[in-house]
Amino acid sequence: MANIGARIERIPDNKYNKGLLVKTGIGNTFDSMDIAMVAFVLPSIIGLWSLSSEQAGLLGSSVLIGYLFGAFFSGWLGDKIGRKKIIMWTLIIYSLATLVSAFSGAWEHFFWMRVIAGIGTGGESAIIAPYLAELIASKYRGKYIGALTGFHSFGYVAAAIIGYIVVPASENGWRIALIITALPIFLVLYWRRALPESPRWLESSGRLEQAEQEMRKLEQGVEKYTGKLPEPAEIAPPQVTKGSFFTLWNKKYVKRTIMIYILWFSVIFSYYGFFTWLPTLLYKQGFEISKSFLFSILIYVAQIPGYFSAAYLNDVLGRKKLICTYLGLAAISAFCLSQAHTSSTILISGFFTSLFMVGSMAGMYTYTPEQYPTIIRSTGTGSASAFGRIGGLLAPIYIGYMYPIFGFIGVFLMTTGVLLIGMVSTFILGTETKAKMLDDLNDDNVDKDDSDLNKVV
């Protein structure tokens, strides 16, 4: 019997695949809209509750604190109970917590609701990329996962528009903005019947009958657009194996794990430090709040060409070259931003910092699931995302302390250095994965009992 991987590999690019991209991409859009909204309500909340710079930095990191735990545990649970269940439950968590946060009467209550919301957004964001990667043939995987990551840009632009129009409109504009970002809870009703479970995961878990059912549904959906699919190669199903977090650190995967963790920390530290504080930093530089929000919208719009140019180049340059190139260009742009003093130079430098930074993320989200076999793919991606969120939650706090001392210049010089660390680690430790089958990239015969710490390097 042909295994699931062989059957997926012979599926051409088609409208069914594009439908899966849109269905999962919508989740990324709402995740990012929820996260980005903090940056736009923060100036209002600072005034409302007379917050210090340090308290504001802590609020800026609130979602990332939850994100860390959500990403780690959703990755682990995704390998244990399935990708689809985690996608739906994390959506419910962040939507409900966001709705409750809109009615906060004190900054401490708002902080904890944003932490809970972060558990949902972190969990969903970490599971969607490996989920879609398991449903797409290797020839198109880079394009699709890069484009999937690109849906984050729509969320940031939507948040910026809501922040520009809704937040300044009334005293409670920030509350209305948060209520709007909680509406995606209704998406779960659609996802429940529209998304298949990953047949690769079902097969790797020994649930061969369920894997066959889901694979047939997928094939039937594809054949509506392509006609009869060709017969796949006759390959035996992979051996059912067992993996855990410790498997990521055995001899076979330890170099990959170190490289991926450094990459995630560098990119996420820079990303959330930049985007969480951007409207506030512009305001502190002397731009009135409406103008700082308008600048932010234009800089967030740069994410769209950033993500989608990288999505295209993922399968042209390859993941490693793309990540190193975009991180290098982002570092140069961040340095230019640190030296900018006029509206035009700030806007141009910020635009390209945004473009190249998020472009590197499109490569990173594609590259990470390719480092591990199916049985630990979700755990590996989720744990890397969780480690990156440590950088993400530290960045707004650190900038809150750093800005009064070193100012605008110091913040973006630091961003330059962190981006360069991510570039160098990927260049030295990374290997290319372009257009290679997931089954070829990783031997699924991981240790059957890797809980033994003697097997950990």
Side-chain angles (χ1 to χ4, degrees):
M1 181 179 73
N3 73 3
I4 296 297
R7 292 166 73 174
I8 289 174
E9 280 300 314
R10 101 289 198 194
I11 294 177
D13 198 6
N14 66 92
K15 289 185 178 179
Y16 183 84
N17 283 358
K18 291 179 174 63
L20 285 175
L21 171 63
V22 172
K23 291 168 189 173
T24 51
I26 289 171
N28 276 350
T29 295
F30 290 131
D31 283 345
S32 291
M33 185 170 72
D34 187 68
I35 294 169
M37 194 56 66
V38 175
F40 293 97
V41 304
L42 198 56
S44 298
I45 290 173
I46 288 172
L48 176 65
W49 290 319
S50 301
L51 302 181
S52 67
S53 179
E54 291 78 10
Q55 289 172 325
L58 189 60
L59 280 185
S61 293
S62 57
V63 175
L64 277 302
I65 294 171
Y67 210 114
L68 187 159
F69 293 101
F72 182 84
F73 286 107
S74 77
W76 176 72
L77 287 170
D79 283 332
K80 299 300 179 185
I81 67 175
R83 300 1 181 175
K84 182 178 175 179
K85 288 181 181 178
I86 301 303
I87 289 173
M88 292 193 298
W89 277 108
T90 50
L91 174 68
I92 292 171
I93 290 170
Y94 94 70
S95 294
L96 290 178
T98 297
L99 181 63
V100 174
S101 73
F103 299 95
S104 298
W107 80 270
E108 295 90 348
H109 179 251
F110 183 79
F111 170 80
W112 286 111
M113 286 301 100
R114 300 313 299 156
V115 169
I116 295 172
I119 292 174
T121 54
E124 185 174 75
S125 183
I127 199 73
I128 284 180
Y131 168 77
L132 185 61
E134 292 175 353
L135 300 176
I136 304 295
S138 59
K139 185 176 180 182
Y140 314 107
R141 191 170 60 240
K143 177 177 72 174
Y144 272 86
I145 306 305
L148 172 69
T149 312
F151 277 80
H152 284 296
S153 63
F154 302 142
Y156 270 89
V157 172
I161 293 171
I162 293 170
Y164 180 62
I165 296 173
V166 177
V167 173
S170 68
E171 182 181 349
N172 290 313
W174 68 273
R175 299 184 189 273
I176 296 170
L178 289 170
I179 291 171
I180 293 171
T181 63
L183 295 178
I185 192 171
F186 297 107
L187 183 62
V188 75
L189 301 174
Y190 174 66
W191 272 354
R192 184 177 180 181
R193 60 185 179 80
L195 292 181
E197 181 53 273
S198 167
R200 281 187 191 268
W201 173 77
L202 290 167
E203 182 185 54
S204 71
S205 302
R207 306 179 192 188
L208 300 184
E209 185 175 338
Q210 290 175 269
E212 177 64 27
Q213 291 173 356
E214 292 291 345
M215 192 65 221
R216 281 305 306 149
K217 288 179 186 177
L218 194 154
E219 289 169 333
Q220 288 166 6
V222 171
E223 287 175 344
K224 290 179 183 179
Y225 302 103
T226 66
K228 182 71 175 173
L229 289 167
E231 290 298 316
E234 294 292 328
I235 306 173
Q239 181 182 353
V240 177
T241 55
K242 204 171 141 185
S244 75
F245 174 75
F246 294 114
T247 310
L248 306 177
W249 301 96
N250 69 22
K251 188 175 181 179
K252 181 177 177 63
Y253 303 111
V254 65
K255 188 174 91 168
R256 306 180 193 186
T257 300
I258 291 171
M259 179 269 296
I260 287 294
Y261 274 36
I262 294 173
L263 174 62
W264 274 86
F265 187 94
S266 302
V267 173
I268 300 300
F269 182 97
S270 304
Y271 183 86
Y272 283 105
F274 179 70
F275 286 112
T276 301
W277 271 94
L278 184 60
T280 304
L281 290 178
L282 289 173
Y283 179 67
K284 287 178 179 289
Q285 281 294 99
F287 300 101
E288 64 270 18
I289 192 168
S290 60
K291 192 171 184 180
S292 73
F293 278 7
L294 180 60
F295 273 31
S296 298
I297 291 173
L298 295 173
I299 291 172
Y300 288 152
V301 166
Q303 293 193 25
I304 297 174
Y307 278 123
F308 289 98
S309 65
Y312 170 75
L313 293 172
N314 251 338
D315 289 325
V316 177
L317 292 178
R319 299 16 162 180
K320 180 178 175 179
K321 287 181 181 178
L322 180 136
I323 291 169
C324 291
T325 300
Y326 273 59
L327 283 179
L329 292 172
I332 293 170
S333 301
F335 176 79
C336 293
L337 183 58
S338 74
Q339 307 301 309
H341 299 288
T342 66
S343 297
S344 59
T345 55
I346 287 175
L347 180 59
I348 293 170
S349 301
F351 183 91
F352 284 106
T353 302
S354 173
L355 187 154
F356 292 121
M357 191 185 301
V358 301
S360 70
M361 290 185 73
M364 182 176 73
Y365 270 94
T366 306
Y367 199 39
T368 304
E370 295 172 338
Q371 305 301 312
Y372 304 108
T374 301
I375 201 65
I376 56 167
R377 182 169 296 119
S378 180
T379 298
T381 304
S383 67
S385 178
F387 187 77
R389 306 310 153 173
I390 296 174
L393 69 88
L394 288 176
I397 298 173
Y398 188 56
I399 290 173
Y401 283 98
M402 187 175 180
Y403 179 79
I405 302 171
F406 297 103
F408 193 81
I409 293 175
V411 167
F412 290 105
L413 282 177
M414 176 191 66
T415 302
T416 301
V418 174
L419 289 168
L420 289 174
I421 290 171
M423 181 189 74
V424 171
S425 68
T426 304
F427 180 78
I428 294 172
L429 299 175
T431 57
E432 188 51 67
T433 57
K434 181 179 75 170
K436 295 180 181 178
M437 291 178 58
L438 289 177
D439 292 341
D440 291 341
L441 284 168
N442 296 286
D443 177 10
D444 279 333
N445 296 321
V446 296
D447 293 329
K448 291 186 177 181
D449 185 11
D450 48 72
S451 59
D452 183 356
L453 292 181
N454 290 327
K455 295 178 182 178
V456 179
V457 174

